[in-house]
């Protein structure tokens, strides 16, 4: 997928979908247009347009974000960690985002959303806090937050890390933060026996047992030898004592 098309138009679409979806029915046309223009400028100036373009082109991700803002799926608003344009450009290069299935692409995008609106102060107060994202599937879709020096660090389950570099949007039920890397979820692998490792451990146990047996065997022989030496000395002294009076 090329980022050449991730211009202001997808940014407007994303903002209209995410920020104005719940208010279009009640807002006047001029007010909605004005707000959309302001928010377009915010995204354009913040460097969040490339990620906005990916979300706008992935309907399932956009639907999930809209539902969360509207409160359809519960939760207390939505926090989005938006990778900056440079991070997205690097990630969507050959052999990466474009090679994912549609479901995997949606999961990756939703991995950047959390079903609660977190303020900057709330993120800064976290240290190792695990946040459940909107993504789901066979992988591990939690993100850990470490509030460090007013620039929270996000650690994905792959793991890779991203630093929150600023707030883009703080409005009603939506908070959008700019981050310097694309968060990549990890995969849970089922527990399985590694026969080579098991064989190595068993071999180690057997060697340890053999060494213990040899040690015990050596100790027994040492005790017997010491006992024999003591007996020989006692016999020699007894013999000497019997001979001494006749001398």
């Amino acid at each position: 997928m090329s980022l050449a098309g991730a211009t202001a138009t997808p940014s407007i679409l994303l903002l209209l979908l995410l920020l104005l979806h719940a208010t279009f029915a009640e807002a006047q046309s001029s007010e909605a247009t004005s707000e959309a223009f302001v928010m377009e400028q915010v995204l354009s100036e913040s460097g969040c347009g490339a990620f906005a373009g990916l979300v706008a082109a992935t309907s399932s991700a956009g639907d999930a974000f809209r539902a969360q803002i509207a409160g359809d799926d519960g939760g207390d608003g939505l926090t989005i960690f938006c990778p900056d344009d440079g991070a997205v450009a690097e990630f969507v290069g050959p052999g990466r985002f474009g090679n994912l299935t549609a479901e995997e692409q949606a999961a990756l995008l939703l991995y950047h959303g959390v079903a609660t609106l977190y303020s900057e102060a709330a993120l800064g107060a976290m240290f190792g806090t695990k946040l459940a994202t909107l993504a789901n599937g066979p992988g591990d879709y939690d993100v850990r937050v470490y509030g460090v020096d007013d620039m929270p660090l996000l650690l994905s389950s792959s793991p890779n890390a991203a630093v929150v570099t600023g707030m883009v949007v703080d409005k009603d039920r939506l908070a959008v933060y700019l981050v310097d890397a694309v968060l990549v979820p990890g995969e849970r692998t089922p527990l399985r026996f590694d026969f080579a490792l098991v064989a190595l451990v068993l071999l180690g146990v057997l060697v340890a047992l053999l060494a213990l047996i040899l040690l015990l065997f050596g100790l027994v022989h040492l005790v017997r030898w010491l006992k024999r030496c003591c007996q020989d000395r006692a016999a020699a002294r007894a013999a000497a004592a019997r001979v001494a009076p006749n001398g």
Side-chain angles (χ1 to χ4, degrees):
M1 180 182 296
S2 172
L3 288 183
T7 60
T9 300
S11 300
I12 297 174
L13 290 176
L14 179 66
L15 287 170
L16 290 175
L17 291 174
L18 296 183
L19 298 173
L20 304 178
H21 175 76
T23 60
F24 261 135
E26 300 177 0
Q28 295 295 327
S29 176
S30 58
E31 294 176 353
T33 301
S34 176
E35 188 170 6
F37 177 73
V38 172
M39 298 313 299
E40 175 200 352
Q41 286 184 316
V42 170
L43 274 191
S44 177
E45 293 171 0
S46 70
C48 192
F51 184 79
L54 293 179
V55 173
T58 309
S59 59
S60 56
D63 290 343
F65 284 148
R66 288 198 306 272
Q68 189 59 44
I69 293 178
D72 298 341
D73 297 333
D76 301 319
L78 174 65
T79 296
I80 297 177
F81 299 111
C82 178
D84 61 38
D85 292 347
V88 174
E90 180 180 353
F91 186 79
V92 299
R96 303 203 72 180
F97 188 81
N99 284 355
L100 301 177
T101 66
E103 292 77 12
E104 290 170 337
Q105 289 180 355
L108 178 70
L109 297 175
L110 291 174
Y111 189 56
H112 293 76
V114 178
T116 301
L117 189 153
Y118 288 105
S119 66
E120 292 180 280
L123 288 180
M126 296 178 183
F127 194 83
T129 304
K130 182 184 291 187
L131 302 181
T133 67
L134 295 180
N136 56 59
D140 183 353
Y141 291 105
D142 293 327
V143 171
R144 289 190 181 274
V145 181
Y146 297 85
V148 180
D149 297 331
D150 297 325
M151 296 183 69
L153 174 70
L154 308 178
L155 186 63
S156 77
S157 54
S158 23
N160 74 313
V163 175
V164 176
T165 57
M167 173 171 271
V168 180
V169 176
D170 181 10
K171 185 174 183 60
D172 299 331
R173 291 174 53 84
L174 176 65
V176 179
Y177 294 92
L178 197 69
V179 298
D180 64 357
V182 175
L183 296 170
V184 181
E187 294 187 2
R188 291 193 184 103
T189 55
L191 182 63
R192 61 183 181 182
F193 286 106
D194 188 327
F195 291 102
L197 179 60
V198 171
L200 184 62
V201 170
L202 290 177
L203 180 61
V205 171
L206 290 176
V207 170
L209 288 175
L210 181 60
L212 180 60
I213 291 172
L214 291 176
L215 178 61
L216 291 175
F217 185 76
L219 288 175
V220 169
H221 278 270
L222 178 61
V223 170
R224 288 179 178 176
W225 180 79
L226 291 174
K227 184 179 180 180
R228 190 180 308 114
C229 288
C230 290
Q231 289 174 344
D232 291 345
R233 284 190 176 185
R237 287 178 181 177
R242 287 194 301 266
V243 172
N246 296 329

